[in-house]
Amino acid sequence: MALLVHKYGGTSVGSITRIQNVAKRVIKAQAEGNQIVVVVSAMSGETNRLLALADEISSSNSPREIDVLVSTGEQVTIALLALAIHAEGKKAKSYTGGQVRITTDNAHGKARIRRIDDDNIRKDLDNGHIVIVAGFQGVDEDGNITTLGRGGSDTSAVALAAALKADECQIYTDVNGVYTTDPRVEPNAKKLDQITFEEMLEMASLGSKVLQIRSVEFAGKYNVPLRVLSSFEDGGAGTLITMEENNVEAPLVSGIAFDKNEALIKVKHIPHKPGMAYKVLDLVSSQNIEVDMIVQNDSQEGFTDLTFTVPKAEKDRVLALIKAASGSLENVEVRGDDKIVKLSIVGIGMQSHAGVATKMFKILSDENINIMLISTSEIKISTVIDEKYLELAVRALHDGFELEK
Ligand code: ADP
Ligand code: ASP
Ligand code: MG
């Protein structure tokens, strides 16, 4: 008998009919001889709706209360799914993160899972129940409700699969697998039968939200077999996230990822002397603002320019922090641009092939697309471009690297 963790995202539980559909799917999976743990997200739009309610009062500093609020979305879904399974005459039991005891640290809004007590779940499974667990949430050591960051139900599912030593963690969503790029932007995107953990990690960290990055990290760390499948279609094998060894004939480029949530910050006229990059970036990171791509270059004699990206929502705060800086940063010029997108290509095969970057830049240049920033690692090349060229760029790269169906 296999133990499977199924996870259904917001769209897949977006209405009563869809929740009833999920009930049928998990009942069928159980009838096929499996033990089933189901992790669910809030119904689509619900988490945003709750956050907007909080914003109507203030977008202030009450992260503990925000977590109490947003975690309710998932609590609604677990109960509705349990009711739907009961209505089919089968046994099911729902648990919030706190009831399972999914213990996290106390970083509200981006908590990390520390441990999971699996006693209740195992007992229920052995008694023939389908066990339903609310995604996205846990409790800290003091019993405060925490949440795991947007898209965090993926991580709940993988962590449960790791704790239960499940045979597979199956992420059911509104596409039937991981594609070469977001199929909503490039209709010719091709479904991948498999992708390596490393590539999936890059794709997720570079903006492909099909899996939350932490879920991929977790799966890699604990060796959880992870698969992405459609919650609407029957019978497909989806995409398996595999270890690198399985994939000998790796293509140069496996996928294209993009992230619309970053803004560019340009700091000019910084005195060219030791410690200045630290000074600028420390202003930002000491406020817990994550800095992503960073480029420094000489400008006129004695001065240097520093360009970096931060989350779009933090642009104005970062500009204000730098403008208010004193001492050696008093005379710098600073500008922000949030009409940009980070566009990346990812592929394990590019490790051993020169010229991939050159080809990427030629493809963009042929479309007259200006590159504002470049950064590379062994298996990815990222650029920052004007957001208005995103679709054109994705399609040109998809075509140029022959990723189409
Ligand atoms: P869920 O609500 O099930 O968690 P998400 O909206 O978080 O679903 O993730 C699924 C979406 O991810 C798809 O609808 C698709 O638009 C987007 N996506 C982005 N990049 C990719 C990719 N490379 N392959 C598949 N889907 C992708
Ligand atoms: N409901 C949460 C969100 O919208 C978690 C999730 O869907 O994974 O981000
Ligand atoms: Mg998601």
Side-chain angles (χ1 to χ4, degrees):
M1 182 185 282
L3 197 169
L4 302 177
V5 174
H6 279 203
K7 179 256 166 178
Y8 293 88
T11 322
S12 309
V13 294
S15 66
I16 294 299
T17 316
R18 288 187 174 174
I19 290 175
Q20 288 167 326
N21 173 49
V22 170
K24 292 201 173 81
R25 297 182 75 97
V26 293
I27 289 170
K28 181 162 174 257
Q30 189 194 43
E32 286 164 358
N34 304 299
Q35 292 189 317
I36 306 291
V37 175
V38 202
V39 174
V40 283
S41 292
M43 295 169 78
S44 57
E46 181 61 8
T47 308
N48 287 343
R49 188 186 74 86
L50 293 166
L51 286 168
L53 288 177
D55 263 351
E56 277 185 40
I57 299 172
S58 96
S59 51
S60 79
N61 254 337
S62 308
R64 180 186 181 279
E65 307 313 323
I66 299 288
D67 277 354
V68 172
L69 176 71
V70 287
S71 60
T72 60
E74 272 71 12
Q75 189 169 338
V76 170
T77 323
I78 55 170
L80 291 174
L81 180 58
L83 293 177
I85 296 173
H86 295 168
E88 298 282 333
K90 302 289 177 204
K91 293 202 276 189
K93 201 162 164 186
S94 72
Y95 288 95
T96 63
Q99 287 174 320
V100 173
R101 249 193 135 75
I102 297 178
T103 308
T104 71
D105 61 18
N106 62 3
H108 287 287
K110 51 179 174 196
R112 284 185 180 267
I113 296 175
R114 286 189 172 154
R115 52 176 193 281
I116 294 181
D117 298 341
D118 58 6
D119 294 357
N120 288 334
I121 297 182
R122 284 198 189 278
K123 271 185 219 138
D124 291 337
L125 288 174
D126 291 341
N127 286 328
H129 282 86
I130 292 171
V131 177
I132 307 164
V133 180
F136 183 51
Q137 55 179 263
V139 285
D140 71 9
E141 303 284 352
D142 300 322
N144 298 300
I145 297 174
T146 55
T147 63
L148 311 179
R150 298 307 302 268
S153 299
D154 296 333
T155 303
S156 307
V158 177
L160 274 162
L164 293 163
K165 301 196 173 50
D167 294 277
E168 196 163 276
C169 182
Q170 303 181 337
I171 306 287
Y172 288 91
T173 183
D174 54 8
V175 285
N176 62 357
V178 178
Y179 278 70
T180 44
T181 191
D182 190 336
R184 295 185 204 288
V185 169
E186 167 56 286
N188 283 323
K190 188 174 70 181
K191 185 180 83 71
L192 302 166
D193 293 334
Q194 54 177 49
I195 182 169
T196 67
F197 270 106
E198 233 180 328
E199 287 170 320
M200 194 62 238
L201 204 57
E202 288 286 6
M203 291 281 281
S205 75
L206 296 170
S208 299
K209 65 167 187 166
V210 61
L211 285 176
Q212 197 204 32
I213 175 164
R214 281 187 188 167
S215 71
V216 188
E217 284 169 357
F218 231 104
K221 191 164 165 194
Y222 295 99
N223 252 316
V224 178
L226 181 60
R227 196 183 286 279
V228 177
L229 307 117
S230 165
S231 62
F232 300 118
E233 288 170 14
D234 270 330
T239 302
L240 182 67
I241 323 296
T242 65
M243 292 299 173
E244 189 183 343
E245 293 76 54
N246 299 340
N247 208 358
V248 235
E249 297 247 342
L252 280 188
V253 174
S254 301
I256 303 168
F258 53 85
D259 190 341
K260 298 179 189 169
N261 286 317
E262 294 195 11
L264 199 67
I265 308 287
K266 278 189 183 177
V267 191
K268 291 182 140 182
H269 214 69
I270 304 172
H272 207 339
K273 57 180 190 185
M276 295 310 289
Y278 163 69
K279 259 202 172 131
V280 175
L281 296 176
D282 187 50
L283 279 175
V284 181
S285 47
S286 61
Q287 297 298 310
N288 272 325
I289 300 171
E290 261 175 62
V291 175
D292 182 22
M293 296 166 82
I294 305 171
V295 171
Q296 184 182 335
N297 50 280
D298 290 350
S299 46
Q300 65 208 92
E301 190 64 35
F303 293 98
T304 181
D305 297 344
L306 192 65
T307 310
F308 53 92
T309 60
V310 293
K312 215 171 240 185
E314 304 285 7
K315 186 195 87 180
D316 291 339
R317 220 169 116 210
V318 172
L319 291 179
L321 279 169
I322 297 174
K323 281 180 186 153
S326 55
S328 47
L329 291 178
E330 214 149 70
N331 294 318
V332 301
E333 295 160 28
V334 58
R335 279 196 300 121
D337 182 354
D338 55 13
K339 302 267 180 292
I340 57 128
V341 61
K342 179 166 81 168
L343 173 68
S344 313
I345 57 175
V346 174
I348 209 114
M350 70 174 78
Q351 293 184 104
S352 48
H353 283 81
V356 179
T358 320
K359 183 166 175 181
M360 177 182 192
F361 305 151
K362 169 148 193 343
I363 293 169
L364 295 178
S365 130
D366 286 348
E367 299 294 340
N368 250 323
I369 297 172
N370 195 27
I371 302 173
M372 303 178 201
L373 218 62
I374 297 171
S375 89
T376 64
S377 77
E378 274 203 319
I379 68 160
K380 71 121 203 280
I381 302 160
S382 295
T383 59
V384 169
I385 61 168
D386 189 322
E387 68 175 9
K388 68 173 181 259
Y389 298 124
L390 173 64
E391 294 199 355
L392 175 64
V394 168
R395 288 178 188 184
L397 290 171
H398 204 267
D399 202 36
F401 284 104
E402 296 173 20
L403 299 177
E404 65 277 0
K405 309 188 216 200

